[in-house]
Amino acid sequence: MQRRAAGVYIAIFLVISAGAYSLVGMAKEPTVSVNNPDQTLSQQGQKFTVDGRQYNVSSLSGGSAEVAWTQQAATYSAELANNSTVEQDNTTFQVLIPNKSEPKKATLREVQNLSEGTQTVKQGNETYVVVNGSSGNKSLVPVDEYKRQQFGEPTTKTLRTGDSFQYSNNSTTVDNITAEAVMLQWKAPKTTVSSVESGSTVELGPNNETFVAHGQGNKVLLSSDVKAYNEQEEAVSHFHERIAGLWGVSILSFIAAALIGMLAYLPFKG
């Protein structure tokens, strides 16, 4: 009687296992697609426009791309901090700003470096250069005086708001002067690159419109219907969850049938 009941349970579990397995085989996986893309990126160097802004496909491979656009007159800025140095005309200058709340100007003073091997000593707050006399005697000369003797008066330049200033190969304008720094500003082209990965979103155009990217062979499709695309991806994810559940039912049911069979037909005493 016990083995007969076990046989019934084994049959039930095997039917459940087979049914779940057959459902796995018959299930059709949904796919994600973009039927009416706003843009189709098909080759490197391709140009396309979003709300009047022109983009160039700078790279394209494996369902991903990089797109770039260039702003011809972007605004750049830089600061020359007080007591910092800056290179101009192959000469190093030190930036000197008066200690005032609203300085009207700043001064660039040529940096005169002592030659290698020049011996200096410091006495109190003053630095001196050790000078060897013709008779072998040594004398101490204040470092600023020594530099004037060796190099002459340092070159100085005055900067005021609105002045032109050559900085890092750019023609800049002095935008403002504070006690902390001289503010420079200039116009120059600026290229912005955006990465486009399949399944991810990217903002393009002057209004930052959101597009979702979809890799299709050697192409990348851009769609502004992000909601519909996400719904398709959710359907695919839900399908995989259901398939995983059916596999679990099939495997566990088969194991249960095997265990019942082994336990029911174990030899017993008496």
Side-chain angles (χ1 to χ4, degrees), residues 125-139:
N125 295 324
E126 188 76 29
T127 301
Y128 296 87
V129 175
V130 180
V131 178
N132 296 317
S134 56
S135 59
N137 296 327
K138 294 183 178 181
S139 61

Side-chain angles (χ1 to χ4, degrees), residues 187-241:
K187 300 284 187 180
K190 179 182 180 181
T191 298
T192 301
V193 179
S194 299
S195 296
V196 181
E197 301 288 340
S198 183
S200 64
T201 58
V202 62
E203 293 183 347
L204 299 175
N207 300 318
N208 293 325
E209 185 176 358
T210 301
F211 294 88
V212 63
H214 177 68
Q216 183 173 294
N218 294 323
K219 299 178 181 179
V220 175
L221 310 181
L222 297 179
S223 173
S224 58
D225 194 352
V226 179
K227 181 180 179 182
Y229 190 88
N230 288 339
E231 289 175 349
Q232 292 182 74
E233 285 198 321
E234 289 174 3
V236 172
S237 177
H238 183 57
F239 171 83
H240 288 154
E241 290 176 359

Side-chain angles (χ1 to χ4, degrees), residues 39-248:
Q39 302 289 342
T40 300
L41 312 184
S42 57
Q43 61 182 355
Q44 187 172 334
Q46 175 185 345
K47 291 179 172 56
F48 66 97
T49 301
V50 178
D51 294 337
R53 177 178 292 174
Q54 187 179 77
Y55 287 86
N56 175 63
V57 180
S58 53
S59 69
L60 179 66
S61 65
S64 63
E66 285 188 343
V67 298
W69 73 280
T70 301
Q71 184 179 357
Q72 296 300 326
T75 300
Y76 291 83
S77 61
E79 293 185 359
L80 304 179
N82 189 26
N83 291 318
S84 66
T85 57
V86 61
E87 295 289 329
Q88 192 177 49
D89 300 327
N90 297 320
T91 302
T92 302
F93 291 88
Q94 184 179 17
V95 181
L96 301 173
I97 303 175
N99 187 19
K100 297 179 180 180
S101 59
E102 295 182 1
K104 302 296 183 182
K105 63 180 181 179
T107 301
L108 300 182
R109 187 176 67 186
E110 179 186 4
V111 176
Q112 297 173 330
N113 295 315
L114 297 174
S115 58
E116 188 176 351
T118 302
Q119 184 180 358
T120 61
V121 295
K122 193 166 185 178
Q123 294 184 354
N125 295 324
E126 188 76 29
T127 301
Y128 296 87
V129 175
V130 180
V131 178
N132 296 317
S134 56
S135 59
N137 296 327
K138 294 183 178 181
S139 61
L140 299 180
V141 180
V143 65
D144 290 338
E145 181 181 339
Y146 180 84
K147 288 180 178 180
R148 283 194 294 270
Q149 294 172 358
Q150 297 295 316
F151 310 114
E153 290 292 336
T155 301
T156 59
K157 299 181 180 182
T158 301
L159 294 179
R160 291 183 173 85
T161 302
D163 285 352
S164 297
F165 182 74
Q166 195 69 19
Y167 174 77
S168 297
N169 297 321
N170 294 297
S171 296
T172 75
T173 300
V174 178
D175 184 59
N176 191 22
I177 299 176
T178 68
E180 291 78 28
V182 176
M183 315 296 182
L184 303 178
Q185 197 172 91
W186 68 97
K187 300 284 187 180
K190 179 182 180 181
T191 298
T192 301
V193 179
S194 299
S195 296
V196 181
E197 301 288 340
S198 183
S200 64
T201 58
V202 62
E203 293 183 347
L204 299 175
N207 300 318
N208 293 325
E209 185 176 358
T210 301
F211 294 88
V212 63
H214 177 68
Q216 183 173 294
N218 294 323
K219 299 178 181 179
V220 175
L221 310 181
L222 297 179
S223 173
S224 58
D225 194 352
V226 179
K227 181 180 179 182
Y229 190 88
N230 288 339
E231 289 175 349
Q232 292 182 74
E233 285 198 321
E234 289 174 3
V236 172
S237 177
H238 183 57
F239 171 83
H240 288 154
E241 290 176 359
R242 286 186 297 167
I243 292 300
L246 288 172
W247 273 114

